[in-house]
Amino acid sequence: MTNIPTFNRSLLHPRYWPTWVGIGLLYLLVLLPYPLLYRLGTFLGRLSMRFLPRRVHIARRNLELCFPDRSSAEREALLVKNFESVGMGLFETGMGWFWPDWRVERWFNVSGLENISLAHAKKQGVLLIGLHFLSLELGARIFGIHNPGIGVYRPNNNKLLDWLQTWGRLRSNKSMIDRSDIKGMIRALKNGEIIWYAPDHDYGPKSSVFAPLFAMEQAATTSGTHMLVRLAKPAVIPFVPRRLPGGKGYELIIMPDEQHLPLESDVATATYMNKVLEQAILLAPDQYMWLHRRFKTRPPGQPSIY
């Protein structure tokens, strides 16, 4: 059972004061007009490359592994654009948590809402496939404004941030559920709920199988999708929040139900899902979370690629 974090007086302890200062600064910054936020965010993202050499190395390595056919110059240009998105991602998190609904809606165009309506008409729950785009908090907020659901999350070690992210996400959604609570997810899907689920990170060898992803032949991929779909039989609907160029706002793309997801094995499901993830990532490759060690788990006996 997931325990939803709530505010309590312990969060006012001095050890959290630096976090409170950061939260207050982020709140004030996202009050700025969006075009100014866009310029400031992309500038800070480029600047961060000087101070985050380890993350730059990881992102560059991920791009090399996934797109070996692209030239070095093309990958470097994509890397710079990606770190511009890192800077914007900080502001987009604050926008997702603190902006009122009307301001979020003002900067978004939404397409594909009929795909959710079709699933509801069939009395199905929805396994909403949300990738780790850097704008994921803002994307989840706009999706929830139109179709409130339940978010799957990993509790934050900082209890103040854990409470804050939950508070921000619940502004337009029903509840949150711990990613380890598989029974809770299955129960919610069988009850016709929308479950926001991200199958695109490396969660370690115990809960993963190896399947191709882009040019990587053996990428650790969660086996959870196979279990959830097999037991709850939901619609499987990917969505992509994509930032438009030039500070012109965003679009939320809700894709059709993946009705032909193979379920004969967890490897078959993971292989198919990775193809779906590739298509989604290529809609905005500069905005994906490449600075995460996506391929940290290797098959037995193989060395780290980082």
Side-chain angles (χ1 to χ4, degrees), residues 69-80:
D69 293 337
R70 298 194 183 190
S71 69
S72 176
E74 289 174 324
R75 290 196 300 267
E76 284 299 307
L78 180 55
L79 180 70
V80 173

Side-chain angles (χ1 to χ4, degrees), residues 51-224:
F51 304 101
L52 299 172
R54 174 62 176 161
R55 292 297 170 181
V56 172
H57 166 75
I58 291 169
R60 180 179 286 117
R61 183 65 173 140
N62 282 334
L63 294 174
E64 289 173 350
L65 293 167
C66 291
F67 306 117
D69 293 337
R70 298 194 183 190
S71 69
S72 176
E74 289 174 324
R75 290 196 300 267
E76 284 299 307
L78 180 55
L79 180 70
V80 173
K81 296 296 292 183
N82 187 233
F83 271 85
E84 290 181 354
S85 289
V86 170
M88 277 304 300
L90 174 63
F91 291 145
E92 287 159 353
T93 296
M95 291 154 61
W97 290 349
F98 300 129
W99 273 14
D101 288 355
W102 66 264
R103 195 174 180 193
V104 176
E105 291 184 280
R106 175 187 174 188
W107 289 99
F108 261 96
N109 291 317
V110 180
S111 63
L113 285 169
E114 68 278 3
N115 295 318
I116 304 296
S117 298
L118 286 170
H120 286 328
K122 297 176 182 178
K123 308 295 185 184
Q124 283 181 293
V126 174
L127 190 65
L128 187 70
I129 303 300
L131 287 73
H132 282 83
F133 284 99
L134 291 155
S135 56
L136 66 89
E137 295 287 348
L138 187 57
R141 176 73 186 281
I142 186 63
F143 185 92
I145 288 173
H146 291 276
N147 286 284
I150 299 172
V152 175
Y153 83 118
R154 179 185 67 82
N156 197 293
N157 294 329
N158 183 311
K159 293 188 181 301
L160 174 54
L161 288 179
D162 195 37
W163 166 75
L164 179 64
Q165 73 175 2
T166 302
W167 173 85
R169 291 169 179 178
L170 292 183
R171 292 195 65 186
S172 64
N173 283 289
K174 294 180 179 181
S175 187
M176 302 293 295
I177 191 167
D178 192 300
R179 72 182 188 189
S180 64
D181 188 2
I182 299 296
K183 290 182 179 178
M185 294 182 219
I186 293 170
R187 184 164 51 249
L189 289 169
K190 287 184 174 180
N191 288 334
E193 297 287 359
I194 299 171
I195 291 286
W196 189 98
Y197 183 73
D200 62 322
H201 268 196
D202 182 341
Y203 296 121
K206 290 185 179 180
S207 56
S208 300
V209 294
F210 290 98
L213 179 67
F214 289 112
M216 282 294 294
E217 289 298 322
Q218 293 181 307
T221 304
T222 179
S223 56

Side-chain angles (χ1 to χ4, degrees), residues 119-120 122-128 185-193 224-237 257-259 261 263:
H120 286 328
K122 297 176 182 178
K123 308 295 185 184
Q124 283 181 293
V126 174
L127 190 65
L128 187 70
M185 294 182 219
I186 293 170
R187 184 164 51 249
L189 289 169
K190 287 184 174 180
N191 288 334
E193 297 287 359
T225 307
H226 174 78
M227 183 185 302
L228 291 171
V229 176
R230 183 171 56 85
L231 295 178
K233 298 178 174 56
V236 180
I237 298 179
D257 179 13
E258 294 291 340
Q259 299 182 31
L261 191 68
L263 297 175

Side-chain angles (χ1 to χ4, degrees), residues 242-263:
R242 179 165 64 175
R243 185 185 320 109
L244 301 175
K248 293 183 172 60
Y250 301 83
E251 61 179 345
L252 181 72
I253 305 168
I254 303 171
M255 300 178 179
D257 179 13
E258 294 291 340
Q259 299 182 31
H260 305 295
L261 191 68
L263 297 175

